[in-house]
Amino acid sequence: MADGERTMVNRTEGKRRGGGRVSEAGKETGLKISRFFTDPSIHPYDAIEGGWGRRSAVIYDEKGAEIFKQENIEVPNAWSELALNVVVSKYFKKSANPDEREKSVRQMIDRVARTIAGWGRKDGYFAAPEDAGTFEAELTHILVNQMAAFNSPVWFNVGIEDKPQCSACFINSVDDSMDAILKLAHTEGMLFKFGSGTGTNLSRIRSSKEPLSNGGEASGPVSFMKGYDAFAGVIKSGGKTRRAAKMVILDIGHPDIGEFIDCKANEEKKAWALIDSGYDGSFNGEAYNSIFFQNSNNSVRVTDEFMRAVLEDGEWRIHAVTDPNQVIDTYRARDLMDRISDAAWICGDPGLQYDSTINDWHTCPETDRIYASNPCSEYMFLDDSACNLASLNLMRFRNAEGGFDIEAYLHAVRILITAQEIIVDRASYPSPSIAQNSHDYRPLGLGYANLGALLMAQGIAYDSPAGRAWGGALAAVMTGEAYRMSAETAGHKGPFSGYPQNEKAMLRVMRKHQAAVEDVEHNYLPADLSAAAHRVWSEAVNLGELNGYRNAQATVIAPTGTIAFMMDCDTTGIEPDIALIKYKKLVGGGQFTIVNQTVPEALQKLGYSEEQTHRIVEYINENNTIEGAPDLKEEHLPVFDCAFKPAKGVRTIHYMGHVRMMAAVQPFISGAISKTVNPIALVGSG
């Protein structure tokens, strides 16, 4: 669709009001949806490249034993066996009655796309019935062609439950009372049951160094973490085999911060002792099932004040929760940072969350601060809130010439962000407070996946200025267009309820996003991508000034583990490839072998012949590395660098390559980025 064809709200038409946008004729308008991918005379399923076939979904364990099988599944021929196995085993509707089970990818996608479109019709999102039909067709096309996917709870629950839980990410509050502490356990359990994850900052709970009101000794948050961890360990996500996901956070100023920092590392050492004694040390083995804190990610919230104390080798005073004027402990700030680093080296936790920066980019500070995140840390917003996620598969937006189709990308952003917005009012939530905040602030989490594969296919090294320019620009275009669409929707449905109170702050953050576009190294970008980044942010800010925004947040970068396989992505989120040949174990059993499919395209992009490409790919298959491959020029090796150093190679992406990519992308994301930074690079050649 050409730029001029986009649906825009006329600045002279009507005026903004809380209940929606009213035209001069006095009638509320709705969204006009243009066709881009589909033809009204052809159903999206009939236009799919390669057609449809029937296959069996089979999963084997690492010993070759069959642990799952469903036969005669209708599936697009273009979908891989991996995508088929993931979708059938995880997302197909299950039933004790064989006649009620889903047997086709068509059924699954129809269940979701038709339900969301139907909600949109009933809730007045579309200008006319034909717009609703167009929306359903475009969404169906996007999903069946693996251009995007919703988060797992949508596939689990939409079209099955009357009020489905649709959000993957929740943030829950807890207060310093036994009632609140036990209520949190119940809320988390219900979230795990329906396939979602949750995070909570426990810093409001008084420390073990402070007395109870009746004179007894307080247990402190770390003690309660043991109970929360036990529930997470026994309640499977979505009632399936996925593990529950949770985040536990403690402020750097909490009196129990030392115990919190060390708790998971100490348990890890216990597991080592059990393994040395002969207990099973595998993922689901008895050693790790016997220790605490294995079902949560732990993070420490640090402020700029604390980080300055670390840099200046200063003292850090810890104050009581119940009496902020009472100093409980005094630490050398660097000692605390060293403990955090040592613990993270031992067991991966705790992580760090930068409180000051997070709140500087907060769109709703007049409501409250941001205290916590979801388990994977991409969703950061108000306590007692939820976010439904979706991710775009960047590799599906290349044109026939191998370039990136900007207009297709923009259109997909509009369709997906509209679908996510529709979901907000039709979903269920585990508590009244989460429901209220979801309706009042309407945070969304659109993101992208397969960045690593896209860069490789373009012949661009992940750890390079060009790679970072592409990562930042694609994020800028996505978030800018998402907010532009949010402002357009606000013109019809009204801005989110919390917007008037936070208007000044939110517009400040929007202008920060817009200003960051100038920091992208545009000389590494195609002209149309560079122009789009500038254009969408100008439109997003201008239309937001007129209409406000429908959503307090619009984008995150999620880890996209399972849905990345559903979309046949070679890489997840903003990660580079882990390895050119890799293996994934499934919770509940089973193992997939995943071979990078992007290498041949990258080699062709770099000018290698078909014969040379074949020889190089054969070498990779035999050696699990591209290093030493025949015909390969040394200057092209960085294009194929991965996060892990191969057993027969020396190359890997330096840890700062990961950090710099995050720095390039983060200024254009509403929330944050779920990202693995691999410290193995410290001992590699990098």
Side-chain angles (χ1 to χ4, degrees):
M1 178 172 30
D3 182 56
E5 293 179 295
R6 282 195 240 159
T7 303
M8 299 290 292
V9 176
N10 191 311
R11 289 176 173 271
T12 64
E13 181 188 55
K15 60 182 181 179
R16 193 176 73 199
R17 65 169 196 168
R21 190 167 183 86
V22 179
S23 69
E24 292 178 348
K27 296 181 179 179
E28 288 198 4
T29 61
L31 297 172
K32 296 289 294 181
I33 307 296
S34 301
R35 287 188 183 266
F36 186 95
F37 300 115
T38 64
D39 184 326
S41 65
I42 305 172
H43 194 281
Y45 293 148
D46 297 329
I48 190 169
E49 186 176 353
W52 294 76
R54 290 194 174 272
R55 283 181 266 162
S56 296
V58 187
I59 298 176
Y60 303 93
D61 65 17
E62 56 267 33
K63 297 179 181 178
E66 182 182 293
I67 62 172
F68 174 87
K69 186 174 185 178
Q70 186 172 338
E71 298 178 317
N72 199 30
I73 304 299
E74 188 184 34
V75 61
N77 287 324
W79 283 34
S80 71
E81 289 300 314
L82 174 61
L84 172 65
N85 290 338
V86 165
V87 164
V88 175
S89 64
K90 302 293 183 184
Y91 299 142
F92 267 25
K93 178 184 177 181
K94 306 297 191 296
S95 175
N97 184 349
D99 294 334
E100 295 179 359
R101 298 173 190 167
E102 287 178 340
K103 303 176 181 65
S104 171
V105 170
R106 298 179 197 244
Q107 292 175 298
M108 181 191 70
I109 292 176
D110 279 348
R111 167 167 59 82
V112 171
R114 287 178 179 174
T115 299
I116 295 172
W119 289 340
R121 289 184 180 93
K122 293 177 181 177
D123 295 342
Y125 276 89
F126 305 115
E130 54 265 32
D131 294 298
T134 297
F135 171 81
E136 182 178 328
E138 295 289 298
L139 180 59
T140 299
H141 175 96
I142 289 168
L143 297 176
V144 77
N145 285 285
Q146 301 173 299
M147 302 172 75
F150 296 106
N151 58 206
S152 291
V154 168
W155 300 109
F156 286 154
N157 304 320
V158 168
I160 296 174
E161 307 286 340
D162 289 337
K163 291 282 288 185
Q165 185 171 296
C166 297
S167 297
C169 303
F170 289 80
I171 301 170
N172 287 286
S173 66
V174 65
D175 293 319
D176 186 34
S177 72
M178 186 58 67
D179 181 67
I181 290 167
L182 295 177
K183 184 179 178 182
L184 176 60
H186 174 269
T187 302
E188 287 190 342
M190 296 307 295
L191 289 172
F192 301 151
K193 177 182 177 182
F194 290 102
S196 303
T198 178
T200 304
N201 190 321
L202 303 183
S203 299
R204 293 190 182 99
I205 300 175
R206 73 185 67 197
S207 72
S208 60
K209 301 175 183 178
E210 298 170 70
L212 297 172
S213 56
N214 63 8
E217 294 183 357
S219 300
V222 177
S223 293
F224 291 111
M225 285 166 56
K226 295 177 180 178
Y228 296 145
D229 181 72
F231 276 114
V234 299
I235 303 174
K236 301 300 183 184
S237 183
K240 310 292 181 25
T241 57
R242 294 174 72 238
R243 296 182 68 177
K246 64 186 274 76
M247 170 68 78
V248 180
I249 299 162
L250 206 68
D251 294 343
I252 192 66
H254 193 280
D256 286 340
I257 190 63
E259 183 185 3
F260 180 82
I261 291 169
D262 297 335
C263 68
K264 199 164 181 177
N266 290 338
E267 294 296 307
E268 181 75 17
K269 294 174 184 178
K270 293 179 186 178
W272 297 348
L274 290 169
I275 294 167
D276 289 341
S277 299
Y279 289 91
D280 182 2
S282 64
F283 182 67
N284 290 311
E286 195 169 1
Y288 283 99
N289 282 336
S290 302
I291 62 174
F292 289 112
F293 314 127
Q294 297 307 295
N295 297 292
S296 68
N297 298 323
N298 296 352
S299 291
V300 176
R301 264 266 163 152
V302 298
T303 60
D304 283 357
E305 182 184 12
F306 172 76
M307 295 305 295
R308 280 192 292 268
V310 173
L311 292 173
E312 297 167 3
D313 197 15
E315 291 184 336
W316 183 248
R317 292 183 176 84
I318 303 289
H319 297 81
V321 175
T322 54
D323 182 5
N325 295 317
Q326 180 187 356
V327 177
I328 297 287
D329 279 311
T330 300
Y331 291 92
R332 182 176 176 241
R334 288 186 179 180
D335 288 344
L336 280 177
M337 181 59 78
D338 285 344
R339 287 173 69 175
I340 292 170
S341 301
D342 289 343
W345 183 257
I346 292 170
C347 66
D349 278 332
L352 289 182
Q353 296 189 358
Y354 296 94
D355 181 83
S356 303
T357 300
I358 291 165
N359 280 285
D360 185 52
W361 289 82
H362 185 19
T363 59
C364 296
E366 298 303 318
T367 302
D368 200 359
R369 292 177 59 78
I370 296 175
Y371 299 102
S373 75
N374 73 312
C376 301
S377 293
E378 73 270 23
Y379 176 55
M380 296 187 176
F381 195 54
L382 299 170
D383 275 1
D384 298 313
S385 66
C387 187
N388 65 78
L389 311 182
S391 294
L392 298 151
N393 179 0
L394 294 176
M395 285 288 283
R396 291 291 191 264
F397 295 96
R398 295 175 304 148
N399 55 32
E401 293 74 38
F404 194 82
D405 191 336
I406 296 295
E407 294 304 321
Y409 186 56
L410 289 166
H411 185 73
V413 169
R414 293 191 288 273
I415 296 296
L416 265 293
I417 207 73
T418 300
Q420 292 174 276
E421 157 63 18
I422 291 170
I423 286 172
V424 171
D425 288 329
R426 290 288 179 154
S428 68
Y429 302 94
S431 72
S433 58
I434 294 176
Q436 189 65 54
N437 281 335
S438 296
H439 297 145
D440 287 350
Y441 296 92
R442 316 183 73 80
L444 306 178
L446 181 62
Y448 63 56
N450 228 3
L451 174 66
L454 178 70
L455 295 177
M456 189 181 291
Q458 297 295 321
I460 299 171
Y462 184 90
D463 186 10
S464 70
R468 291 185 281 274
W470 272 79
L474 289 168
V477 170
M478 175 182 67
T479 301
E481 187 66 1
Y483 272 125
R484 192 207 63 80
M485 192 68 198
S486 181
E488 181 177 332
T489 305
H492 303 295
K493 303 287 288 183
F496 65 90
S497 298
Y499 181 76
Q501 179 184 4
N502 292 283
E503 180 175 15
K504 183 178 179 180
M506 185 162 185
L507 287 172
R508 181 188 73 86
V509 173
M510 294 300 102
R511 296 183 187 111
K512 280 168 66 72
H513 287 303
Q514 183 182 19
V517 174
E518 302 304 322
D519 296 329
V520 176
E521 295 192 63
H522 291 272
N523 55 301
Y524 291 107
L525 300 174
D528 58 348
L529 178 55
S530 176
H534 285 97
R535 183 182 72 241
V536 297
W537 271 108
S538 176
E539 294 175 356
V541 170
N542 291 339
L543 198 59
E545 290 173 342
L546 177 67
N547 292 336
Y549 298 94
R550 184 65 172 168
N551 313 96
Q553 289 195 357
T555 59
V556 304
I557 299 292
T560 64
T562 306
I563 66 167
F565 301 140
M566 177 183 183
M567 296 188 289
D568 278 320
C569 297
D570 272 327
T571 62
T572 60
I574 67 161
E575 305 286 354
D577 205 355
I578 294 175
L580 297 182
I581 296 179
K582 47 201 172 286
Y583 308 90
K584 178 176 174 62
K585 282 189 177 181
L586 299 176
V587 177
Q591 178 173 285
F592 294 140
T593 299
I594 307 163
V595 180
N596 187 300
Q597 300 299 311
T598 313
V599 172
E601 295 184 47
L603 291 169
Q604 293 166 18
K605 183 78 172 182
L606 294 169
Y608 292 90
S609 68
E610 187 173 336
E611 290 183 1
Q612 289 173 317
T613 297
H614 178 74
R615 284 196 295 268
I616 294 171
V617 171
E618 284 294 306
Y619 181 89
I620 296 171
N621 290 333
E622 292 173 4
N623 296 275
N624 284 12
T625 182
I626 199 170
E627 296 175 53
D631 305 308
L632 187 70
K633 298 177 181 178
E634 187 173 354
E635 63 262 32
H636 292 154
L637 279 171
V639 173
F640 305 98
D641 283 347
C642 297
F644 288 178
K645 179 171 68 70
K648 297 182 180 180
V650 298
R651 298 187 62 87
T652 180
I653 295 172
H654 193 274
Y655 71 94
M656 283 303 299
H658 299 269
V659 174
R660 291 189 184 105
M661 181 61 81
M662 294 173 71
V665 173
Q666 183 59 71
F668 307 108
I669 301 299
S670 301
I673 301 168
S674 180
K675 178 76 179 75
T676 300
V677 178
N678 301 91
I680 192 173
L682 289 166
V683 296
S685 66

